[in-house]
């Protein structure tokens, strides 16, 4: 047996002993508790809490992203389409952006220009700088990269959390299916 095959066989043999897939899953982002908590400014500077009325009874897709993140940017057309298609049925998309720059006004102006240029039709909040992620969304843990997608059911409980890796048809189909399931009142 070639050396690489022996190593692969050993890894597969040892995975259950070291925790297997659950140990690997522990590296992914998750929400502590069952709700996402935030209080962040929109692009006009108005503070929007996670308890805002516009989220009550809605399916909410929270997308943690940045303009400088290529995978984040590839997902935007799908998010625009989802908001357009399902907004009237109870979907609210919230993009929480993390941008470089110390000055809030400059950062928000950059986000506003980007949002307008890309035709974003969903709520964009200023999460601050990348190093502010933990304080911006304190119940979200293990954010190792962007984008992070958090899907919340109509009762306000987290249904799923995952790192996105940019657009793919499989990703878009899965997200659309999960949203439809939640909009139809199924637990998924």
């Amino acid at each position: 047996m070639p050396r690489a095959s022996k190593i692969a066989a050993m890894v597969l043999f040892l995975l259950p002993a070291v925790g297997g897939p659950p140990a690997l899953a522990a590296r992914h982002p998750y929400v502590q508790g069952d709700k996402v908590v935030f209080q962040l400014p929109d692009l006009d500077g108005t503070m929007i809490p996670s308890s805002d009325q516009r989220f009550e009874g809605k399916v909410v897709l929270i997308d943690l992203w940045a303009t400088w993140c290529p995978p984040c940017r590839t997902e935007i057309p799908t998010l625009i389409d989802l908001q357009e298609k399902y907004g009237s049925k109870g979907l609210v998309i919230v993009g929480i952006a993390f941008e470089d720059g110390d000055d809030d006004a400059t950062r928000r102006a950059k986000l506003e220009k980007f949002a307008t240029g890309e035709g974003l039709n969903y709520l964009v909040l200023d999460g601050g700088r990348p190093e502010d992620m933990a304080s911006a969304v304190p119940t979200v843990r293990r954010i190792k990269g962007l984008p992070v997608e958090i899907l919340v059911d109509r009762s306000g409980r987290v249904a799923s959390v995952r790192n996105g890796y940019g657009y793919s048809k499989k990703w878009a189909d899965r997200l659309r299916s999960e949203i439809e399931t939640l909009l139809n009142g199924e637990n998924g």
Side-chain angles (χ1 to χ4, degrees):
M1 182 182 287
R3 181 170 162 69
S5 296
K6 286 180 185 177
I7 292 171
M10 254 175 33
V11 167
L12 289 175
F13 176 76
L14 291 174
L15 262 178
V18 296
L24 296 174
R27 296 185 203 149
H28 296 286
Y30 70 94
V31 173
Q32 183 176 15
D34 61 359
K35 298 195 185 259
V36 177
V37 175
F38 60 81
Q39 183 161 340
L40 299 167
D42 65 12
L43 299 182
D44 293 326
T46 302
M47 294 304 282
I48 308 294
S50 53
S51 60
D52 192 270
Q53 276 186 315
R54 73 186 90 193
F55 308 136
E56 288 180 21
K58 307 288 184 176
V59 171
V60 181
L61 173 60
I62 300 168
D63 182 48
L64 308 182
W65 69 289
T67 62
W68 46 263
C69 165
C72 301
R73 293 172 71 132
T74 66
E75 292 181 352
I76 289 173
T78 299
L79 299 180
I80 291 169
D81 290 345
L82 290 169
Q83 184 63 56
E84 187 173 302
K85 182 173 182 179
Y86 297 111
S88 64
K89 297 174 182 167
L91 175 67
V92 176
I93 297 179
V94 181
I96 300 178
F98 296 93
E99 292 297 320
D100 294 317
D102 292 327
D103 178 66
D104 291 347
T106 302
R107 193 173 53 250
R108 287 187 201 131
K110 178 181 176 181
L111 285 170
E112 177 67 38
K113 182 178 178 183
F114 182 87
T116 300
E118 294 296 317
L120 300 187
N121 59 353
Y122 52 87
L123 180 62
V124 176
L125 301 179
D126 177 10
R129 299 168 304 194
E131 57 268 24
D132 298 330
M133 282 185 214
S135 61
V137 284
T139 56
V140 182
R141 307 288 187 188
R142 286 198 192 104
I143 301 171
K144 300 292 185 197
L146 296 175
V148 172
E149 299 148 7
I150 305 164
L151 197 53
V152 178
D153 69 18
R154 289 184 186 269
S155 70
R157 289 191 167 82
V158 173
S160 66
V161 182
R162 68 177 161 264
N163 271 107
Y165 298 100
Y167 175 83
S168 74
K169 183 169 179 3
K170 182 178 177 180
W171 165 82
D173 290 345
R174 179 179 173 188
L175 186 58
R176 183 172 286 108
S177 176
E178 289 175 347
I179 288 169
E180 287 176 356
T181 297
L182 293 173
L183 287 172
N184 291 327
E186 302 166 26
N187 290 335

